[in-house]
Amino acid sequence: MSYSGQAPTHSGWSFCTYCGHKIAFTAHTCPKCGAPQPKAQGHSRNGEAVSPKRYGVAVSLCGVFGMIGLHHFYLGNILHGLFDLCLFLGWTIILFGMPEASSGLVGLAMALFIIDMIHTCVVFIRLICGKERDSQGRVIAVP
């Protein structure tokens, strides 16, 4: 059985974003309510390209391992992930790897920690609001 003239693909079935009716994943419109389906077209409601990366995975990685930068690696933003990882390693090595660090080094470590924390919070908020993008410039869509 096919809806909107299209048979379901290997991805199977989806649900209408407006009425919740079960439809083919590739359907461009819902056969029940006629609403356009943005996921089938690869675009969000405002016309932006949608990333195939999972919103829940990205938010979870950012929430749990945000200061390490694992979410950036998941989204394909390798350089951004390396920057986060270097910030994390910088402050942890100074604070925990140098037991007799001078006050100047401890101050540097605290500055790196604060920068890392603020950066993680900003990216986390952008992810939750659906503003963060993957390495291809596609938005991580909020389900």
Side-chain angles (χ1 to χ4, degrees):
M1 180 175 208
S2 87
Y3 293 99
S4 299
Q6 297 185 12
T9 64
H10 66 281
S11 300
W13 299 95
S14 182
F15 295 93
C16 174
T17 56
Y18 296 94
C19 72
H21 182 71
K22 185 176 178 180
I23 60 174
F25 185 74
T26 57
H28 293 283
T29 59
C30 174
K32 183 176 180 184
C33 69
Q37 301 301 304
K39 288 183 182 176
Q41 299 164 2
H43 292 84
S44 66
R45 288 189 180 143
N46 59 0
E48 293 181 296
V50 174
S51 175
K53 301 294 183 178
R54 300 289 208 151
Y55 171 82
V57 172
V59 169
S60 298
L61 285 173
C62 186
V64 177
F65 302 107
M67 293 184 70
I68 300 172
L70 290 182
H71 54 289
H72 293 301
F73 292 109
Y74 172 70
L75 297 176
N77 300 325
I78 305 302
L79 291 177
H80 206 158
L82 289 173
F83 173 75
D84 259 6
L85 185 60
C86 287
L87 277 175
F88 176 78
L89 291 175
W91 69 263
T92 53
I93 289 171
I94 293 171
L95 284 181
F96 302 113
M98 302 176 159
E100 297 178 16
S102 67
S103 62
L105 280 177
V106 171
L108 174 64
M110 294 312 296
L112 291 175
F113 174 79
I114 291 169
I115 291 169
D116 200 6
M117 180 65 77
I118 291 171
H119 174 260
T120 299
C121 290
V122 168
V123 172
F124 190 68
I125 291 168
R126 288 181 52 84
L127 271 170
I128 290 174
C129 294
K131 303 284 186 192
E132 193 65 26
R133 298 179 180 276
D134 68 5
S135 62
Q136 304 296 316
R138 300 170 296 195
V139 70
I140 309 303
V142 178

